């Protein structure tokens, strides 16, 4: 018998697979059941493990907590029965482990998709703030929310990534080749991820699409796409004046306070009345497209832009206009003092002039601002002309780039809109995030032609990094459905780019 040439067979398989569309009703039912029966019980077990990120756990290499968390997750991974999957745990000396998974494509001409999540956690905040009966390592489900450290940042990610694929396979819907990386040091700035991406670049391939499951959402009523991320500059301001503490009565008015000196030099980089950062090196122009998207998001969210935060009664945000607040948290620099040394507790504070004041500084910077240049600008301004000849040093810890998403291809924009309307009943939301995922710029540099979909579950009051972190379960199930739709549409788009040629080829052969 005579058979069509391979190129024609590919097109025929593509055309047949096109008919196997994703059944949204079945997907919703399957996702509800799978999350309730399979994902949530394992996610609760994962929450009980205090596997803090290396920056917060000096014994991470020896206490076995990262390995314990990996064992819980991988036992669940193996139970899924995903066809065509292979995985391994990469462990190297002095580096955090990496979960590397690959699922073979079922399309006729599979492209590559790279999906990302992380499994390390922020510190627990055991000293207060958690609701009574709750805790960082005590999973509690209430009112559709799963409480516990790491539930939303970013433990859910591996569950969403794999169930979105399993759902397609169970419906017989084709998908591309998918590589999934789950790292264990994101909360420490992802120091090991560039090394792993470079080491395994041949195995990863060249992805057409990169999906990051570690971002936020404006509300829980739509699919939200992250358009930008801020970078970050971290360091410690150290001010010292005397060699030992002395009586504040005899020294007051003679020895200048190190707190006052610190306050003075901080005023060089931030307007203490308005919070405006004063260093021009930390600013950038805001593109018109992002201004328009921000205005649309502000109109949608309104006061919720600030009411999601736990303000005291009578206190208020820095601006009344939600558009300005959104721009402040996405396209403008902002300084936070996140820690302090040199201070006794209030209860133990005697009448002394202290020797030193140390402040941990975290400066968020807009996309496109060079973090190394920003850190040097901060250091230069903080250290110049020390008041009273004090020792004033700014020790740089690290810096990370911000990121702006590339323009969406039309098919991708259409797919996301369809997914949001199908599973949420509303249009896609676009929002810049104030937080940082420093490796996103690295991935953009590695894969300059890739499309990016950055999504997440960190919505109003979810409070990642703080007490009472929670995962909004109904939203997460819908988000996972959207990821299934995205994967199916990706396969359809790239497999069927060639379909217009099919009829011409058949006509030519006839």
């Amino acid at each position: 018998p005579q058979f069509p040439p391979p190129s024609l067979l590919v097109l025929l398989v593509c055309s047949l697979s096109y008919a196997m569309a994703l059944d949204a009703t079945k997907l919703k039912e399957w996702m509800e059941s799978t999350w309730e029966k399979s994902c949530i019980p394992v996610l609760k077990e994962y929450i009980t493990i205090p596997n803090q990120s290396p920056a917060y756990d000096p014994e991470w290499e020896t206490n076995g907590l990262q390995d314990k968390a990996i064992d819980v997750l991988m036992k669940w991974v193996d139970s899924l029965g995903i066809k065509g999957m292979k995985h391994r745990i990469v462990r190297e000396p002095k580096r955090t482990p990496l979960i590397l998974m690959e699922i073979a494509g079922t399309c006729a001409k599979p492209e590559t998709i790279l999906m990302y999540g992380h499994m390390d956690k922020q510190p627990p905040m055991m000293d207060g703030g958690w609701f009574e009966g709750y805790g960082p390592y005590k999973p509690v489900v209430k009112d559709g929310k799963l409480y516990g450290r790491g539930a939303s940042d970013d433990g859910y990610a591996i569950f969403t990534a794999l169930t979105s694929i399993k759902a397609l396979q169970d419906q017989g819907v084709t998908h591309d080749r998918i590589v999934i990386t789950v790292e264990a040091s994101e909360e420490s700035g992802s120091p090991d991820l560039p090394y792993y991406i470079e080491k395994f670049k041949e195995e990863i391939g060249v992805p057409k699409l990169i999906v990051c499951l570690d971002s936020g959402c404006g509300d829980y009523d739509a699919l939200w796409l992250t358009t930008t991320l801020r970078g970050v500059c971290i360091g410690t301001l150290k001010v010292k004046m005397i060699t030992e503490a002395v009586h504040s009565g005899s020294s007051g008015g003679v020895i200048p306070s190190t707190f006052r000196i610190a306050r003075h030099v901080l005023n060089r980089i931030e307007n203490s009345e308005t919070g405006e950062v004063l260093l021009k090196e930390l600013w950038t122009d805001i593109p018109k497209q992002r201004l328009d998207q921000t205005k649309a998001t502000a109109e949608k969210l309104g006061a919720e832009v600030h009411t999601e935060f736990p303000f005291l009664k009578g206190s208020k945000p820095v601006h009344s206009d939600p558009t300005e607040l959104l721009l402040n948290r996405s396209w403008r620099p902002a300084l936070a003092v996140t820690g302090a040394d040199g201070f006794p507790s209030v209860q133990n504070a005697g009448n002394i002039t202290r020797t030193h004041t140390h402040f941990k500084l975290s400066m968020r910077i807009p996309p496109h601002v060079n973090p190394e240049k920003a850190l040097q600008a901060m250091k230069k301004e903080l250290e110049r002309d020390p008041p009273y000849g004090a020792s004033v040093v700014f020790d740089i810890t690290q810096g990370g780039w911000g990121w702006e998403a590339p323009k969406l291809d039309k098919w991708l924009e259409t797919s996301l809109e369809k997914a949001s309307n199908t599973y949420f009943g509303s249009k896609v939301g676009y929002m810049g995030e104030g937080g940082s995922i420093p490796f996103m710029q690295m991935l953009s540099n590695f894969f300059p032609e890739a499309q990016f979909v950055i999504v997440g579950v960190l919505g109003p009051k979810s409070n990642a990094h703080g007490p009472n972190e929670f995962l909004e379960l109904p939203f997460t199930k819908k988000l996972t459905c959207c990821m299934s739709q995205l994967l199916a549409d990706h396969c359809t788009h790239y497999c069927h780019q060639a379909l217009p040629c099919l009829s011409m080829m058949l006509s030519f052969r006839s």
Side-chain angles (χ1 to χ4, degrees), residues 42 45-46 49 67-77:
V42 181
E45 186 178 357
Y46 158 81
I49 304 169
D67 289 336
K68 186 177 180 180
I70 288 173
D71 289 344
V72 167
L73 295 174
M74 297 314 293
K75 183 178 179 181
W76 174 80
V77 169

Side-chain angles (χ1 to χ4, degrees), residues 3 105 110 138 149 172 204 245 291-292 310 317 319 369 373 391 471 510:
F3 296 98
K138 181 181 180 180
R149 177 62 81 233
I204 293 171
L291 280 171
D292 293 341
H319 206 289
V369 169
K373 292 182 178 179
S391 171
L471 178 68
S510 65

Side-chain angles (χ1 to χ4, degrees), residues 228-381:
T228 58
L229 295 158
R230 283 194 292 190
V232 66
C233 296
I234 299 174
T236 303
L237 174 64
K238 299 179 178 181
V239 179
K240 189 169 184 178
M241 197 69 205
I242 52 179
T243 58
E244 59 182 293
V246 294
H247 193 295
S248 62
S250 60
S251 63
V254 176
I255 300 174
S257 160
T258 55
F259 177 83
R260 180 162 64 86
I261 295 171
R263 183 173 59 184
H264 175 85
V265 298
L266 284 173
N267 282 339
R268 299 173 180 175
I269 68 172
E270 181 199 45
N271 184 323
S272 59
E273 292 187 6
T274 65
E276 179 184 355
V277 172
L278 303 176
L279 302 177
K280 60 180 177 54
E281 294 90 344
L282 277 61
W283 288 76
T284 191
D285 294 331
I286 305 174
K288 183 179 183 304
Q289 178 195 17
R290 302 310 183 195
L291 280 171
D292 293 341
Q293 288 174 339
T294 301
K295 290 176 182 177
T297 298
E299 185 175 346
K300 175 180 172 62
L301 297 179
E304 194 172 1
V305 170
H306 63 84
T307 58
E308 68 160 300
F309 298 109
F311 283 95
L312 289 174
K313 184 177 181 180
S315 60
K316 58 185 180 181
V318 299
H319 206 289
S320 60
D321 184 348
T323 298
E324 290 301 309
L325 293 177
L326 288 172
L327 290 173
N328 280 351
R329 58 166 273 180
S330 57
W331 278 98
R332 293 166 183 156
L335 176 65
V337 176
T338 60
D341 282 337
F343 296 84
S345 68
V346 171
Q347 183 177 356
N348 296 324
N351 292 319
I352 60 168
T353 296
R354 296 175 299 102
T355 60
H356 67 279
T357 294
H358 292 179
F359 286 147
K360 185 71 170 287
L361 306 183
S362 175
M363 179 74 81
R364 300 289 176 170
I365 55 175
H368 310 303
V369 169
N370 186 314
E372 293 182 5
K373 292 182 178 179
L375 281 164
Q376 290 301 322
M378 291 172 65
K379 184 176 179 68
K380 179 180 178 180
E381 196 64 16

Side-chain angles (χ1 to χ4, degrees), residues 24-44:
T25 301
K26 289 182 179 179
L27 178 61
K28 292 175 186 177
E29 294 173 353
W30 185 94
M31 205 63 74
E32 176 69 27
S33 174
T34 299
W35 268 90
E36 289 296 325
K37 296 178 181 178
S38 176
C39 300
I40 294 174
V42 181
L43 191 49
K44 290 169 72 174

Side-chain angles (χ1 to χ4, degrees), residues 12 59 96 124 130 146 157 256 266 335 381 390 416 424 450 474 502:
L12 288 168
E59 299 179 355
T96 52
W130 289 86
L146 171 57
L266 284 173
L335 176 65
E381 196 64 16
L416 295 168
F424 286 97
L502 177 60

Side-chain angles (χ1 to χ4, degrees), residues 22 27 31 160 164 222-224 415-424 428 455 475-489:
L22 187 60
L27 178 61
M31 205 63 74
T160 285
S164 66
L223 173 63
W224 286 86
S415 173
L416 295 168
E417 200 64 60
K418 176 175 68 175
S420 188
N421 278 302
T422 300
Y423 302 105
F424 286 97
V428 173
V455 295
F475 175 85
T476 304
K477 296 167 188 173
K478 293 175 184 178
L479 173 64
T480 311
C481 287
C482 289
M483 293 302 99
S484 290
Q485 185 69 62
L486 172 62
L487 299 180
D489 289 346

Side-chain angles (χ1 to χ4, degrees), residues 356-486:
H356 67 279
T357 294
H358 292 179
F359 286 147
K360 185 71 170 287
L361 306 183
S362 175
M363 179 74 81
R364 300 289 176 170
I365 55 175
H368 310 303
V369 169
N370 186 314
E372 293 182 5
K373 292 182 178 179
L375 281 164
Q376 290 301 322
M378 291 172 65
K379 184 176 179 68
K380 179 180 178 180
E381 196 64 16
L382 290 169
E383 293 183 353
R384 69 170 175 83
D385 302 327
Y388 303 103
S391 171
V392 178
V393 177
F394 179 62
D395 281 345
I396 294 173
T397 304
Q398 65 180 17
W401 283 87
W403 175 83
E404 182 181 10
K407 181 178 174 58
L408 293 178
D409 285 349
K410 185 62 180 177
W411 78 265
L412 181 53
E413 186 178 4
T414 301
S415 173
L416 295 168
E417 200 64 60
K418 176 175 68 175
S420 188
N421 278 302
T422 300
Y423 302 105
F424 286 97
S426 60
K427 296 175 62 176
V428 173
Y430 294 90
M431 187 168 70
E433 280 292 335
S436 303
I437 310 179
F439 67 86
M440 289 311 307
Q441 187 60 48
M442 177 204 71
L443 290 177
S444 291
N445 295 337
F446 264 107
F447 308 113
E449 302 301 319
Q451 289 280 284
F452 284 78
V453 170
I454 314 300
V455 295
V457 295
L458 304 179
K461 303 186 185 302
S462 59
N463 214 27
H465 298 200
N468 308 308
E469 175 185 346
F470 68 74
L471 178 68
E472 179 79 13
L473 294 171
F475 175 85
T476 304
K477 296 167 188 173
K478 293 175 184 178
L479 173 64
T480 311
C481 287
C482 289
M483 293 302 99
S484 290
Q485 185 69 62
L486 172 62

